[in-house]
């Protein structure tokens, strides 16, 4: 296999993973990236790199993949998102927290140099301030997903302090991309709405019209992960997880942004259980420390993102799947 050092992406078949892998391949080359997922069928969405079926609970297999490809960096993305986590809270804890511990431990044992693991705005809730939520503030998550992410952040800091494992993390807001349809999350509507507009179908939103949430376009999300991972150790002051913001909008606002291009597009509202989850999350986050430490600087606002999303979806129309 030579002495080339490679990057392993775990849970690569999901919304973030597919886009991240594309960028890692573009930056580091096809041979440098090993994508993996519990679902072997996800391999077909991850061409131009190595692919290994991998369940995070199979730690010996994880170790053998790390050995085989001389893995030096891991991006650990396997998760059960917030809405699905409320259906089976124990499974959410197992995958989101126990799974993280297995990855951290295997990374330590196999001398992996760096690990990236995304946390989420779901760590906030309860008495957390809603507007410009600070980096260091009340952490009272309302969901099983948020509880696991909050605990996971502390474990990341523990592995860094106790074992010197270079774990780095971001508290992502809702992620919006044109590459893959999300599922199981509370912020999924902000992707689905674009697919409906392009298919010229009306959209019924499961959140109230004025529910503002922090959001981020996928190119910024991927860029944030790469920037954080490439920053020198000495500039990383947060070893739990960094707040990162980009934009904040409500369903009604994204609807109006889309309507500039699809004037006949219509939206209705039928809130379900996800409204309660969304209500517990911040409206916006203060990401000053990320900006200062490693020069975080998102490019996309709502209108710029809308234009880019619609353009890509219209061009790739055949890939858009609506039920
Ligand atoms: P996703 O649900 O789209 O993808 C997760 C992937 O993990 C799936 O392909 C799934 O098959 C895989 N997986 C599940 N269990 C596994 C296991 N036991 N072993 C190996 N793989 C397994 O999620 P995503 O949206 O791509 O999120 C990626 C990460 O980013 C997660 O940690 C998530 O919490 C975090 N995050 C996402 C968002 C968002 O809006 N999408 C926001 C904040 C944080
Ligand atoms: N966007 C994610 C979700 O809705 C939050 O991490 O679950």
């Amino acid at each position: 296999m030579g002495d080339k050092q490679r990057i392993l992406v775990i849970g690569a078949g999901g919304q973030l993973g597919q886009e991240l892998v594309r960028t890692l391949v573009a930056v580091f080359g096809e041979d440098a990236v090993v994508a993996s997922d519990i679902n072997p069928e996800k391999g077909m969405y991850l061409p131009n790199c190595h692919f290994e079926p991998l369940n995070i609970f199979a730690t010996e297999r994880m170790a053998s993949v790390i050995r085989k490809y001389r893995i030096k960096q891991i991006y650990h993305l396997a998760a059960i998102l917030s809405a699905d986590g409320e259906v089976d809270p124990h499974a959410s804890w197992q995958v989101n927290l126990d799974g993280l511990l297995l990855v951290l431990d295997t990374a330590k044992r196999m001398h992996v140099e760096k690990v990236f693991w995304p946390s989420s705005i779901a760590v906030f809730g309860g008495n957390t301030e809603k507007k410009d939520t600070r980096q260091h503030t009340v952490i009272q998550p309302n969901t099983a997903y948020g509880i696991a992410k909050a605990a996971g952040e502390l474990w990341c800091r523990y592995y860094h302090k106790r074992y010197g494992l270079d774990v780095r993390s971001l508290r992502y807001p809702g992620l919006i991309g044109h590459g893959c349809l999300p599922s199981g999350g509370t912020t999924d509507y902000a992707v689905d709405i674009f697919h409906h507009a392009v298919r010229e179908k009306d959209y019924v939103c499961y959140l109230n019209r004025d529910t503002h949430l922090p959001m981020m376009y996928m190119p910024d999300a991927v860029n944030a992960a790469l920037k954080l991972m490439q920053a020198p150790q000495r500039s990383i002051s947060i070893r739990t997880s960094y707040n990162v913001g980009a934009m904040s909008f409500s369903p009604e606002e994204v609807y109006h942004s889309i309507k500039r291009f699809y004037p006949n597009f219509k939206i209705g509202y039928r809130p379900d259980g996800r409204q309660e989850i969304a209500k517990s999350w911040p409206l916006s986050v203060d990401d000053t420390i990320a900006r200062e430490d490693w020069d975080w600087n998102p490019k996309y606002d709502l209108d710029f993102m809308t234009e880019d999303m619609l353009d890509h979806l219209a061009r790739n129309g055949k890939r858009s799947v609506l039920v």
Side-chain angles (χ1 to χ4, degrees):
M1 183 118 300
D3 57 2
K4 192 155 186 183
Q5 301 183 353
R6 296 190 176 85
I7 300 165
L8 173 63
V9 184
I10 297 175
Q15 195 201 358
L16 174 58
Q18 290 188 30
E19 298 296 321
L20 177 70
V21 165
R22 254 188 282 283
T23 303
L24 289 173
V25 167
V27 174
F28 298 105
E30 299 185 356
D31 185 48
V33 183
V34 183
S36 73
D37 202 279
I38 192 172
N39 182 351
E41 287 172 15
K42 297 280 179 132
M44 77 176 83
Y45 303 108
L46 299 157
N48 307 325
C49 63
H50 303 276
F51 180 81
E52 295 278 348
L54 176 66
N55 181 345
I56 41 173
F57 295 99
T59 49
E60 282 318 306
R61 166 135 176 83
M62 196 190 309
S64 84
V65 169
I66 291 171
R67 197 177 303 113
K68 176 176 169 190
Y69 293 98
R70 296 172 188 270
I71 297 297
K72 289 292 169 201
Q73 289 189 25
I74 294 179
Y75 288 75
H76 167 40
L77 312 180
I80 292 179
L81 297 189
S82 58
D84 277 356
E86 294 309 288
V87 177
D88 189 342
H90 286 197
S92 165
W93 179 262
Q94 277 163 8
V95 172
N96 296 329
L97 195 278
D98 294 341
L100 168 65
L101 290 181
L102 294 175
V103 172
L104 293 179
D105 229 46
T106 310
K108 168 171 84 74
R109 177 159 66 91
M110 301 302 293
H111 308 290
V112 171
E113 285 166 6
K114 278 188 205 170
V115 178
F116 174 81
W117 172 76
S119 182
S120 162
I121 54 160
V123 297
F124 301 121
N127 293 323
T128 312
E129 72 276 9
K130 293 276 189 218
K131 199 166 174 298
D132 298 333
T133 299
R134 289 160 298 159
Q135 175 70 47
H136 301 291
T137 186
V138 174
I139 301 280
Q140 285 179 347
N142 289 31
T143 58
Y145 172 77
I147 293 170
K149 289 292 190 189
E153 289 188 1
L154 295 172
W155 276 109
C156 288
R157 191 177 62 164
Y158 183 89
Y159 267 73
H160 175 253
K161 280 188 95 162
R162 172 129 193 223
Y163 304 117
L165 183 65
D166 190 358
V167 197
R168 303 177 180 202
S169 177
L170 300 171
R171 286 174 183 154
Y172 276 133
L175 302 182
I176 299 156
H178 52 78
C180 164
L181 274 173
S183 78
T186 300
T187 56
D188 296 355
Y189 91 84
V191 180
D192 294 343
I193 192 170
F194 285 99
H195 286 259
H196 279 73
V198 170
R199 286 295 185 93
E200 298 183 359
K201 294 199 168 200
D202 297 350
Y203 184 64
V204 178
C205 184
Y206 56 78
L207 297 184
N208 281 330
R209 67 176 64 228
D210 56 353
T211 309
H212 284 81
L213 287 170
M215 298 280 186
M216 186 181 290
Y217 195 34
M218 199 56 88
D220 278 333
V222 169
N223 184 38
L226 262 67
K227 262 192 122 155
L228 176 67
M229 287 294 268
Q230 285 168 355
Q233 282 243 36
R234 64 178 180 284
S235 59
I236 307 296
S237 69
I238 301 292
R239 285 293 177 175
T240 49
S241 188
Y242 279 96
N243 277 8
V244 277
M247 60 184 108
S248 173
F249 59 77
S250 65
E252 191 69 7
E253 285 170 348
V254 65
Y255 165 67
H256 282 290
S257 187
I258 293 170
K259 221 168 135 59
R260 293 176 303 138
F261 301 90
Y262 291 88
N264 297 326
F265 184 43
K266 291 196 173 43
I267 190 167
Y269 294 95
R270 201 181 303 136
D272 66 17
R274 288 170 282 191
Q275 175 62 32
E276 275 306 301
I277 299 176
K279 231 173 61 184
S280 73
W281 291 351
L283 310 176
S284 58
V285 297
D286 175 356
D287 59 6
T288 309
I289 299 179
R291 287 171 190 263
E292 287 173 355
D293 281 5
W294 43 274
D295 201 22
W296 165 236
N297 188 14
K299 283 202 180 72
Y300 288 86
D301 63 13
L302 173 57
D303 285 342
F304 188 21
M305 174 186 76
T306 297
E307 218 174 306
D308 199 65
M309 274 292 281
L310 293 174
D311 184 46
H312 276 93
L313 289 179
R315 279 194 275 133
N316 301 339
K318 291 186 201 87
R319 282 195 302 158
S320 169
V321 189
L322 280 184
V323 280

